Amino acid sequence: MDSLLFLSARRLVAHRPLPALPAQLYPVLFQAAFLDGRSLVLQDLVAAWPFPVLNFQQIIGRQELLRDHPSKLCLQSIILAVVEQLRQDLEEPGRNSSQCCLRMLDVTGLRDDAASRIPDGMSVWSSTVALAKACLEASRHQREFRKRGSRSCPGTVAAPRSVGVDVRTDLFVNSTSYGILWEALQAGAAGPLRLRCREFQAEELCLAGIVSLLKSLYPAGLRRVDLRFNNLGLGGLSLVLPHLSRFPDLRSLRLPYSNVDLRRPTPELEMGIRCLARELGKLQSLKELNLGSSRLSGNLRQILCELQAPLESLELAFCSLLPADFSFLSQSFHSPALKRLDLSGHNFSQTLLEPLRHLLEETSASLLHLDLMECRLTDSHLDTLLSSLRHCSRLRYLGLFGNSFSIAGLKDLLWKTLALPDLHLVVYPIPVDCYKPRLDSSWILEEQLDRECLGAVSAELSQMLESSGRANVVWTSNPYGDGALDYFSL
C-alpha cells in the first residue's frame, strides 16, 4: 500500500511547473514522477537536484518497478537533463548556488530480461548507447565553449572547467555499438560527462576491440568483466587478461563460450595455460570465475593454481571435466568457500557421480546455489545425490532442468529437500512421464510434451509444498524464470 507521502507526491508531479520544495522531498517526487512517466517533471527535478548523488535504483526501489513501468523515455529525459545542466554550467559560470548540485548519476542495475521487460523499457545495451551519445554531446558543448572563449580573447585558451558529472553505469557493447562507446570513453577522459563502469560486458567483438575498450575504462569501481561469444580461444584470452590487473576492484570474471579447448595438449597449449593461470593470479580481488563451455579436461588444477584467495562462485558448465578435476576441486581451498557452483552439462550417470558427491560434501557448509542442469541424472541417482544435498543446509537454489526424472522421482526429491530450510527455488526437469511415447525414443521433441500431464504435476507439487507448510518454496520447470542467484546478490 502506498504511503500518504507517496500519494501526495503523485498528486504534486501531475502538475508542472513544480513549486519551490524542500530538498528532502526530491527523492519521493523523483520516484513518483518516474512511476507515472512524468518525463518533463523528471527533467525539472534533475535541473535542481539538491544532492551530489542521484542513485536511480536506490530511489526507485525494487527491481520489479523498473521492469513493470516504461523506463526508456524517463531515462532518456534524465540523461538529457544532465547534459543540459552541464551546458549551462559552461555557459553561465557562477550561477545561483541553490541550483543543481549533482556530481554523480548512478544508473546501475538495469537488467536485460526479455521475458518480463515491457516494450518501452531500456536495456543495458540501449542505455550504453544513450549514455555514449550524451558524453559526446557534452564534450561537443565543451569544445564549442572553448572555441568561443578563444575567439573573444585571441591568443588565449579558455581554462578547462572542473565542473562535471560522473555516470556510474553498467555497459554492454557488441560490434554494433563498439564505435560510439569507444569515442565516448576517449572524449569522457577529459570531458564534463564521464562514464564510470561497474559491470562491463562485451559480446561478439574482435580481440583488438576488447583490448581497446578495457584500456579506456576508468580503473576504479569495475567489479565485473563479462566476455562471451567472442571466439578468443586460449591465445586470445592470454592477450586480454593482462589488461585486467589494472582494475583493483574486479571480483567477477566471466569468460563463457570463449572457444577454449584443452583436450589435446601441445607445448603451445601448455604455455597458454601457464599464461592464463599467471594472469588470473594477479587478480587479487577475484571471487567469481565463469569458464563455461571451455573444454578443460584435466587442466583445472593448472588453471586455478596461482589464485591467491579462494573463489566463492565457480561456473564450469559443459567443461568436459574429468575425475581428476573434481578431486582437485574437492581438496582445494576453494571448496569450503564456494557459494555458487555450476556443473551443468556433465555426465553424472557414471564415473563422475562419486566425485560429485564428495565435492558437494566439501562445499556443504557454504553452498547457496547449485546448478546441475542436463547432467543425465535419473531416478537411480537420486539417493546418492540426496545423501549429499541434505548436508547443504544453506542451499537456496537448485537447478536440475534437463535431467530424466519420473514423477515419482520428483516427489521423492521434493519430500527429501523439505529439510533444507533456506531452499526457496528449484528448477526441476519435465518428468519423462509427461512425454508421449514415439518410435524413436532417443529424441524427445517439444510436440511430444503432454501439457495437461505437466500441469497436473505442477499442481500436485504445489499442493505437496502447501501441505508441508513450505508454500513459499517455488518449484518451476521454467529454466529462464526469475530467482536464480547472481554472485553479487548472494
Side-chain angles (χ1 to χ4, degrees):
M1 184 178 295
D2 293 331
S3 67
L4 181 59
L5 176 62
F6 181 74
L7 291 172
S8 301
R10 297 188 83 164
R11 292 290 299 272
L12 195 56
V13 299
H15 304 283
R16 188 174 181 257
L18 297 175
L21 295 162
Q24 61 265 31
L25 291 181
Y26 272 68
V28 69
L29 290 169
F30 187 96
Q31 184 186 53
F34 170 80
L35 296 179
D36 287 351
R38 309 285 182 181
S39 57
L40 295 179
V41 174
L42 286 171
Q43 289 186 6
D44 295 342
L45 290 169
V46 171
W49 195 252
F51 309 108
V53 177
L54 195 168
N55 188 316
F56 185 80
Q57 191 175 21
Q58 190 176 76
I59 293 173
I60 300 304
R62 302 186 310 276
Q63 187 67 233
E64 309 88 82
L65 298 179
L66 286 173
R67 291 199 301 262
D68 297 340
H69 291 77
S71 60
K72 189 171 186 177
L73 182 59
C74 290
L75 282 166
Q76 288 173 334
S77 297
I78 294 165
I79 295 168
L80 289 174
V82 172
V83 173
E84 176 59 21
Q85 286 309 119
L86 291 172
R87 186 193 67 78
Q88 291 186 21
D89 284 342
L90 290 167
E91 301 284 349
E92 307 169 37
R95 285 189 306 148
N96 189 329
S97 60
S98 66
Q99 293 296 311
C100 183
C101 298
L102 184 64
R103 292 296 171 263
M104 168 69 80
L105 174 66
D106 191 325
V107 292
T108 56
L110 296 177
R111 297 295 179 193
D112 281 318
D113 189 353
S116 60
R117 192 173 66 237
I118 56 176
D120 293 328
M122 181 173 271
S123 67
V124 180
W125 185 91
S126 56
S127 69
T128 297
V129 173
L131 288 168
K133 290 179 178 178
C135 285
L136 294 174
E137 185 177 355
S139 294
R140 179 175 60 81
H141 289 321
Q142 185 182 62
R143 289 195 303 273
E144 292 174 352
F145 170 77
R146 288 174 172 172
K147 284 181 182 178
R148 289 197 300 270
S150 298
R151 285 196 296 267
S152 62
C153 300
T156 65
V157 178
R161 297 178 58 82
S162 59
V163 173
V165 173
D166 293 335
V167 182
R168 189 165 184 258
T169 183
D170 301 329
L171 298 176
F172 173 31
V173 59
N174 56 19
S175 57
T176 306
S177 56
Y178 165 78
I180 193 168
L181 178 59
W182 185 85
E183 289 180 25
L185 290 171
Q186 304 309 306
L193 191 61
R194 302 171 289 267
L195 295 180
R196 299 292 184 252
C197 184
R198 182 187 72 156
E199 298 189 5
F200 175 77
Q201 181 177 342
E203 191 171 291
E204 297 181 340
L205 278 187
C206 66
L207 173 62
I210 294 171
V211 169
S212 178
L213 290 175
L214 289 174
K215 291 169 68 174
S216 302
L217 293 174
Y218 186 71
L222 183 70
R223 71 179 191 179
R224 169 175 284 162
V225 169
D226 189 337
L227 308 176
R228 58 181 63 206
F229 301 114
N230 294 297
N231 199 32
L232 294 172
L234 183 60
L237 287 181
S238 298
L239 294 174
V240 167
L241 262 59
H243 298 280
L244 299 182
S245 56
R246 61 187 292 264
F247 302 112
D249 303 312
L250 183 65
R251 285 183 281 162
S252 171
L253 178 59
R254 302 175 64 84
L255 304 169
Y257 312 108
S258 292
N259 192 25
V260 173
D261 191 342
L262 309 181
R263 290 176 294 181
R264 295 179 179 85
T266 65
E268 292 77 18
L269 276 182
E270 291 177 4
M271 184 179 301
I273 292 171
R274 288 196 296 271
C275 177
L276 179 63
R278 182 172 62 251
E279 296 304 329
L280 288 176
K282 295 178 183 178
L283 306 179
Q284 300 296 315
S285 300
L286 190 66
K287 293 296 181 182
E288 177 178 52
L289 181 62
N290 181 337
L291 296 172
S293 294
S294 296
R295 304 297 194 263
L296 304 182
S297 298
N299 291 284
L300 191 61
R301 178 191 299 273
Q302 291 87 332
I303 291 171
L304 303 184
C305 66
E306 298 208 28
L307 291 178
Q308 302 300 305
L311 295 170
E312 296 179 354
S313 175
L314 184 58
E315 297 181 61
L316 299 170
F318 298 93
C319 282
S320 303
L321 297 182
L322 302 178
D325 296 309
F326 283 88
S327 178
F328 156 72
L329 197 53
S330 298
Q331 298 169 20
S332 71
F333 69 165
H334 303 291
S335 58
L338 283 173
K339 298 179 180 178
R340 192 177 195 278
L341 182 61
D342 187 350
L343 297 170
S344 298
H346 289 91
N347 183 359
F348 290 118
S349 66
Q350 298 175 359
T351 58
L352 292 180
L353 187 59
E354 186 61 22
L356 172 64
R357 185 192 64 78
H358 188 206
L359 177 59
L360 291 181
E361 290 180 358
E362 294 298 320
T363 62
S364 60
S366 59
L367 196 62
L368 306 177
H369 178 117
L370 177 63
D371 263 319
L372 296 174
M373 298 191 183
E374 299 185 26
C375 288
R376 303 191 190 182
L377 292 167
T378 67
D379 290 2
S380 63
H381 307 117
L382 273 175
D383 284 343
T384 302
L385 179 63
L386 286 165
S387 69
S388 302
L389 286 179
R390 63 188 176 88
H391 295 294
C392 302
S393 59
R394 301 179 60 195
L395 196 67
R396 301 179 194 169
Y397 172 94
L398 178 60
L400 292 168
F401 187 82
N403 292 293
S404 299
F405 296 152
S406 67
I407 295 174
L410 278 184
K411 292 179 181 178
D412 188 41
L413 179 67
L414 186 148
W415 284 125
K416 291 179 179 176
T417 54
L418 288 175
L420 300 176
D422 294 333
L423 187 64
H424 74 266
L425 177 60
V426 176
V427 181
Y428 64 86
I430 296 173
V432 292
D433 317 53
C434 292
Y435 288 97
K436 301 170 185 175
R438 65 193 303 269
L439 292 177
D440 183 3
S441 59
S442 62
W443 291 93
I444 296 179
L445 304 176
E446 181 70 18
E447 52 264 31
Q448 291 177 250
L449 179 61
D450 186 336
R451 297 191 178 278
E452 184 176 344
C453 176
L454 181 59
V457 169
S458 177
E460 187 173 2
L461 295 177
S462 297
Q463 180 58 45
M464 291 170 64
L465 290 168
E466 187 171 350
S467 64
S468 303
R470 297 294 301 278
N472 61 315
V473 181
V474 176
W475 274 59
T476 177
S477 60
N478 178 10
Y480 307 109
D482 290 341
L485 300 176
D486 179 78
Y487 167 69
F488 291 107
S489 66
L490 294 176

